[in-house]
């Protein structure tokens, strides 16, 4: 299992397009704003078996993300609201999530926006 926040190192790799991570155990995961978009080319992100309470992002991080897969998240109380502001997010897959996250208001708002856009 990964014990330290992997995003602190990975966000410094500007050419990542597809990223898959699994088994991070920590209280928070954080992507910081440093004057330029973090993960400027990241289009697909898959995170599995994470045990975190909070996922925070500053600035324009992951602005090109089009596909996000979250599998087996435990302890997270709610999905981050920044998901609502990702302009290119076309697909969000949630599987084996804690019940609190599965009934999250952010998910309802995302589904509502998609329904209005069609």
């Amino acid at each position: 299992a990964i014990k330290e926040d992997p995003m602190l190192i990975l966000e410094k790799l500007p050419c990542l397009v597809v990223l898959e991570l699994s088994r991070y155990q920590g209280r928070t995961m954080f992507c910081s704003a440093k004057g330029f978009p973090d993960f400027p080319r990241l289009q697909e992100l898959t995170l599995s078996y994470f045990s975190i309470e909070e996922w925070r992002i500053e600035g324009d991080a992951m602005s090109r993300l089009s596909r996000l897969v979250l599998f087996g998240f435990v302890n997270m109380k709610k999905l981050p609201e920044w998901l609502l502001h990702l302009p290119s997010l076309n697909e969000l897959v949630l599987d084996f999530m804690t019940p609190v996250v599965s009934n999250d208001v952010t998910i309802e708002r995302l589904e509502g926006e998609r329904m209005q856009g069609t």
Side-chain angles (χ1 to χ4, degrees), residues 69-110:
V69 177
L70 304 178
F71 180 86
F73 268 55
V74 295
N75 298 327
M76 191 184 303
K77 294 173 177 52
K78 66 177 193 152
L79 287 175
E81 287 188 26
W82 57 262
L83 285 173
L84 296 168
H85 307 290
L86 288 175
S88 58
L89 186 64
N90 293 322
E91 184 178 2
L92 175 61
V93 178
L94 304 172
D95 205 358
F96 291 102
M97 304 292 282
T98 58
V100 174
V101 171
S102 298
N103 298 316
D104 191 276
V105 173
T106 302
I107 295 171
E108 292 175 15
R109 288 178 61 193
L110 279 169

Side-chain angles (χ1 to χ4, degrees), residues 8-27:
L8 298 175
I9 294 170
L10 294 172
E11 70 185 4
K12 294 174 177 58
L13 302 173
C15 296
L16 281 177
V17 175
V18 176
L19 176 60
E20 294 184 19
L21 285 175
S22 64
R23 303 197 187 280
Y24 169 53
Q25 297 177 356
R27 190 172 164 272

Side-chain angles (χ1 to χ4, degrees), residues 60-74:
D60 294 329
M62 299 186 196
S63 62
R64 292 189 182 180
L65 192 67
S66 62
R67 183 171 195 265
L68 176 61
V69 177
L70 304 178
F71 180 86
F73 268 55
V74 295

